[in-house]
């Protein structure tokens, strides 16, 4: 005879403690835990945050609810999140002991050690992301002291550090580091992309195919981030956007290649083309391909998912005109004022977040071609238009 056993409810295990008191204790444990805690919805917005994290950062809960995690990060933290943490979280569903600096309501930096784990349903779709924060002020101070002690033993490094007396010099050093890092990332990124393409040619099950396609998409997005960061660093260091013009080679194959790459990366989105290029264009084909990639990526990010994105290119009256348009919510007047500034980002889906450099780099490429990049946005469509003389 089989015995019938059941798990006793919490009220039976602790009969002397009222259920309401247990609930209050659990709520108090969450709100006043010795660590910060917040939860992100699948779209990437904060829907729950405890009092501990609010007290540390100086924000009221209502000021954080509905915001993205980027709201609490500085620019360096946003870069690290986009290029490292977000891909890691999507691939394995968690990350542990990541060092990040939170920006408090007063603008101060608060060193943290961060852990996160996704909660997924039975089919593997993310339901929410739980993130915990532990203060790391003393740990960071100890690490800085070790670095300072090491630097003191190296006279050459100490002399170099002493020479960086102005904010401008410090900023230039930081941007040089970004540029070197971007170059060093290109080779391993190309190897990953080549390996994924080779594996995609061989028979595999559905899960393996999805993972490889996600790797290809991530490589494409990271390559774009690297290009944008490098161009931004060069511009800030005085080099500007460099061009290699050629009027003897058609631009249309480059435009089509960019469209094909984004179609492969986002097969559920529709991209329509209308190319009527009948005259030679004195331009840098690679740079214009970068401009188109940034504009198309922006349209796919912000456009209505069920509507197509249209790219037009034509030559007429001595001018080359290229436009990218999408349906969806219009750009607000406030956002219009900052649209082409570096590190400005609108409201986007979490899976397609970037660094906010794409439109800035596109506008710099337009200027380098002695052209203009403008935008018009209303309830019908949002259209970015690049216009340049055919020969300059």
């Amino acid at each position: 005879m089989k015995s019938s056993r059941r798990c006793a409810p919490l009220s039976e295990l602790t009969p002397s403690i009222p259920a309401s008191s247990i609930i209050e204790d659990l709520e108090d444990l969450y709100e006043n835990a010795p660590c910060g805690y917040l939860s992100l919805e699948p779209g990437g917005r904060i829907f729950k945050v405890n009092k501990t994290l609010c007290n540390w950062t100086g924000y009221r809960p209502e000021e954080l609810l509905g915001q993205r995690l980027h709201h609490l990060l500085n620019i360096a933290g946003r870069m690290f999140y986009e290029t490292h943490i977000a891909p890691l979280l999507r691939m394995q569903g968690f990350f542990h002991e990541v060092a990040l600096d939170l920006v408090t309501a007063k603008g101060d930096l608060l060193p943290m050690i961060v852990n996160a784990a996704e909660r997924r349903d039975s089919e593997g779709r993310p339901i929410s992301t739980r993130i915990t924060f532990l203060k790391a002020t003393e740990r960071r101070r100890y690490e800085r002291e070790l670095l300072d002690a090491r630097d003191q033993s190296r006279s050459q490094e100490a002399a170099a550090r002493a020479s960086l007396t102005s904010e401008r010099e410090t900023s230039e050093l930081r941007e040089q580091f970004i540029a070197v890092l971007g170059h060093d990332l290109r080779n391993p990124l190309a190897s990953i992309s080549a390996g994924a393409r080779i594996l995609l040619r061989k028979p595999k099950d559905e899960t393996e195919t999805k993972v490889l396609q996600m790797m290809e998409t991530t490589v494409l997005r990271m390559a774009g981030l690297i290009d944008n960061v490098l161009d931004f660093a060069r511009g800030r260091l005085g080099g500007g956007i460099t061009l290699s013009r050629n009027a003897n080679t058609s631009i249309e194959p480059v435009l089509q290649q960019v469209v094909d790459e984004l179609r492969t990366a986002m097969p559920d989105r529709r991209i329509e083309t209308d190319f009527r290029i009948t005259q030679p264009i004195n331009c840098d084909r690679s740079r214009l391909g970068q401009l188109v990639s940034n504009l198309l990526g922006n349209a796919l990010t912000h456009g209505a998912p069920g509507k197509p994105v249209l790219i037009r290119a034509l030559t007429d009256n001595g001018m080359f005109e290229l436009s990218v348009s999408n349906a969806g919510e219009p750009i607000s007047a406030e956002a219009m004022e900052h649209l082409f500034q570096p590190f400005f980002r609108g409201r986007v889906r979490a899976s397609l977040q970037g660094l906010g450099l794409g439109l800035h780099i596109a506008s710099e490429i337009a200027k380098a071609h002695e052209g203009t990049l403008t935008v018009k946005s209303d309830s019908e469509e949002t259209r970015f238009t690049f216009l340049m003389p055919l020969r300059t």
Side-chain angles (χ1 to χ4, degrees):
M1 180 177 180
K2 294 182 179 180
S3 61
S4 176
R5 303 184 64 182
R6 65 184 180 86
C7 294
L10 189 60
S11 59
E12 291 183 16
L13 293 174
T14 56
S16 61
I17 303 176
S20 60
S21 177
I22 295 174
I23 294 173
E24 290 177 1
D25 288 344
L26 291 175
E27 184 68 17
D28 180 73
L29 176 62
Y30 169 79
E31 292 292 350
N32 299 298
C35 64
Y37 184 97
L38 62 77
S39 297
L40 304 177
E41 62 184 16
R45 298 191 181 279
I46 300 171
F47 72 89
K48 196 170 184 180
V49 59
N50 72 346
K51 290 181 181 178
T52 301
L53 187 60
C54 290
N55 291 337
W56 286 349
T57 59
Y59 286 100
R60 298 189 305 275
E62 57 268 25
E63 292 177 313
L64 295 179
L65 296 179
Q67 297 284 352
R68 297 189 182 278
L69 181 59
H70 284 53
H71 183 72
L72 290 170
L73 302 178
N74 58 7
I75 291 175
R78 295 176 187 177
M79 287 184 179
F80 185 66
Y81 188 92
E82 286 296 328
T83 59
H84 180 78
I85 297 176
L88 185 65
L89 190 59
R90 287 196 297 274
M91 288 291 291
Q92 67 182 24
F94 66 90
F95 62 81
H96 294 153
E97 298 185 8
V98 171
L100 283 177
D101 288 339
L102 297 187
V103 180
T104 69
K106 294 181 179 180
D108 299 326
L109 293 182
L110 188 60
M112 291 285 183
I113 298 297
V114 185
N115 296 281
E118 280 189 343
R119 181 184 171 206
R120 300 182 177 182
D121 61 18
S122 58
E123 296 182 4
R125 292 187 296 262
I127 299 174
S128 63
T129 302
R130 299 164 174 170
I131 305 179
T132 59
F133 300 83
L134 296 173
K135 275 189 176 182
T137 306
E138 292 299 322
R139 172 174 170 173
R140 200 71 60 84
R141 181 181 295 114
Y142 175 71
E143 292 172 348
R144 281 197 296 266
E145 289 173 354
L146 288 178
L147 290 174
D148 290 342
R150 184 194 66 180
D151 291 342
Q152 289 175 2
S153 66
R154 300 177 181 179
S155 58
Q156 185 176 2
E157 290 182 7
R161 187 180 296 274
S163 68
L164 300 176
T165 57
S166 70
E167 178 61 27
R168 180 177 179 180
E169 290 173 326
T170 302
S171 177
E172 289 178 354
L173 181 64
R174 184 185 304 116
E175 288 159 355
Q176 286 172 348
F177 169 77
I178 292 173
V180 172
L181 180 63
H183 280 296
D184 290 344
L185 285 173
R186 287 182 180 277
N187 287 339
L189 202 60
S191 299
I192 294 171
S193 180
R197 286 197 298 270
I198 292 172
L199 292 175
L200 278 170
R201 300 191 192 111
K202 299 181 178 181
K204 60 191 65 65
D205 59 36
E206 184 179 352
T207 300
E208 292 171 334
T209 301
K210 287 182 178 179
V211 170
L212 288 171
Q213 288 174 341
M214 183 169 62
M215 287 174 63
E216 279 279 84
T217 301
T218 302
V219 166
L220 181 63
R221 196 163 67 90
M222 288 188 68
L225 289 172
I226 292 171
D227 287 339
N228 287 339
V229 169
L230 286 174
D231 285 332
F232 178 70
R234 290 191 194 102
R236 292 293 297 272
L237 292 170
I241 298 291
T242 57
L243 299 181
S244 178
R245 291 179 179 247
N246 186 350
N248 299 320
T249 308
S250 174
I251 187 65
E252 189 166 335
V254 175
L255 303 181
Q256 190 61 54
Q257 180 183 352
V258 172
V259 172
D260 291 341
E261 287 177 353
L262 287 172
R263 280 174 175 163
T264 301
M266 309 177 87
D268 57 328
R269 298 300 301 276
R270 185 152 55 99
I271 304 174
E272 298 178 352
T273 61
D274 179 14
F275 298 152
R276 289 172 284 172
I277 303 172
T278 59
Q279 298 174 265
I281 304 169
N282 185 24
C283 68
D284 186 319
R285 297 164 66 249
S286 176
R287 287 298 189 184
L288 284 194
Q290 185 181 1
L291 178 145
V292 172
S293 180
N294 287 346
L295 293 183
L296 268 180
N298 181 74
L300 292 169
T301 298
H302 293 272
K307 300 289 186 180
V309 171
L310 175 62
I311 171 173
R312 294 187 180 94
L314 60 91
T315 53
D316 186 36
N317 293 327
M319 301 293 289
F320 171 62
E321 180 178 331
L322 183 146
S323 66
V324 175
S325 59
N326 62 269
E329 294 184 6
I331 302 173
S332 67
E334 180 182 1
M336 281 284 195
E337 297 179 3
H338 309 283
L339 205 56
F340 296 109
Q341 294 179 5
F343 301 112
F344 175 78
R345 300 180 68 256
R347 298 168 65 90
V348 298
R349 299 190 297 277
S351 61
L352 293 174
Q353 291 179 3
L355 300 176
L357 288 175
L359 291 180
H360 171 71
I361 298 301
S363 68
E364 292 300 307
I365 293 174
K367 292 176 184 176
H369 281 86
E370 300 178 32
T372 59
L373 181 61
T374 57
V375 58
K376 292 183 179 179
S377 183
D378 55 34
S379 58
E380 295 296 325
E381 70 168 6
T382 295
R383 176 177 297 187
F384 286 83
T385 301
F386 166 61
L387 194 64
M388 66 162 282
L390 289 178
R391 296 185 180 275
T392 54

